[in-house]
């Protein structure tokens, strides 16, 4: 493992040569959160606290949870559903605070481990989206990854005119951390 640099879309970016995880992009706007704070408390949607970047949107009676993971090496947040058969969401998002623009070279990157693969109608979803809506397919503008019960990863996007979905050819195991990137530096691509 070594750190290397590359120019991408006019941005100097340092990355880990083994995982290709970007470790230090030098861009006009950067949001980097490793969720390392031992006292990480994520406020509920609609109650975003001063200084908090993230909030949680919980749907379900059991209820699902969104919380920092204690003693996780390199930091993590777990979005956990329950075993109850009911509609559930455990979303970590910015409370409909829409501060990023795909047409200005946005790059989204996340290190994700799906600890329990989804079953039946459930799916795991992560990426970028416009304002929260009831279900990922109801969101007006989005680009995200989804995983179903097989662990197969799909890439999906919606530009408010056309929904597109394609398999990535990758299967996530529930023991693997993987780096996922959505790159808008060339929106025509």
């Amino acid at each position: 493992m070594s750190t290397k640099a590359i120019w991408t879309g006019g941005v100097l970016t340092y990355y880990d040569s083994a995982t290709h995880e970007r470790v230090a992009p030098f861009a006009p706007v950067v949001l980097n959160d490793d969720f390392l704070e031992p006292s990480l408390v994520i406020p509920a949607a609609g109650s975003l606290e001063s200084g908090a970047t993230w909030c949680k949107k919980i749907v379900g009676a059991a209820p699902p949870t969104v919380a920092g993971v204690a003693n996780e090496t390199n930091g993590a947040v777990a979005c956990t559903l329950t075993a109850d058969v009911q509609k559930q969401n455990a979303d970590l998002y910015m409370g409909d605070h829409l501060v990023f623009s795909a047409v200005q070279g946005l790059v989204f990157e996340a290190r994700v481990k799906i600890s329990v693969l989804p079953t039946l109608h459930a799916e795991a979803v992560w990426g970028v989206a416009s304002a929260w809506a009831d279900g990922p397919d109801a969101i007006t503008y989005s680009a995200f990854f989804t995983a179903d019960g097989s662990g197969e990863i799909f890439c999906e996007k919606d530009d408010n005119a056309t929904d597109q979905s394609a398999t990535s050819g990758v299967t996530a195991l529930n023991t693997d951390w993987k780096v996922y990137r959505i790159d808008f530096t060339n929106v025509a691509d």
Side-chain angles (χ1 to χ4, degrees):
M1 173 177 89
S2 64
T3 302
K4 298 188 176 193
I6 188 171
W7 284 93
T8 303
V11 174
L12 176 62
T13 303
Y14 290 91
Y15 66 97
D16 180 308
S17 64
T19 65
H20 299 282
E21 180 178 8
R22 295 175 185 208
V23 293
F26 290 94
V29 176
V30 175
L31 172 64
N32 183 18
D33 198 334
D34 289 326
F35 304 107
L36 296 173
E37 299 83 14
S39 61
L40 181 63
V41 175
I42 300 167
S47 302
L48 201 55
E49 298 170 12
S50 177
T53 302
W54 305 102
C55 67
K56 59 187 169 189
K57 177 76 170 181
I58 301 295
V59 175
T65 60
V66 176
V69 178
N71 301 316
E72 175 69 39
T73 302
N74 300 323
V77 167
C79 299
T80 308
L81 302 180
T82 70
D84 293 350
V85 179
Q86 65 174 333
K87 180 177 180 172
Q88 297 184 51
N89 278 14
D91 297 340
L92 174 70
Y93 79 124
M94 295 179 73
D96 294 341
H97 188 68
L98 308 175
V99 297
F100 300 108
S101 171
V103 298
Q104 294 179 329
L106 173 67
V107 177
F108 166 86
E109 183 174 289
R111 190 174 63 97
V112 175
K113 177 170 69 171
I114 304 170
S115 300
V116 177
L117 293 176
T119 57
L120 300 174
H121 300 291
E123 61 184 357
V125 179
W126 61 100
V128 294
S130 56
W132 187 90
D134 192 11
D137 293 329
I139 297 171
T140 308
Y141 295 94
S142 60
F144 50 75
F145 298 98
T146 61
D148 60 15
S150 70
E152 184 177 9
I153 305 297
F154 289 87
C155 306
E156 301 193 29
K157 76 175 183 112
D158 182 353
D159 63 3
N160 200 27
T162 307
D163 289 348
Q164 293 180 313
S165 178
T167 182
S168 67
V170 172
T171 299
L173 303 175
N174 61 356
T175 56
D176 292 344
W177 283 102
K178 299 238 185 236
V179 176
Y180 298 89
R181 183 178 307 119
I182 300 170
D183 190 332
F184 291 100
T185 53
N186 181 356
V187 293
D189 188 10

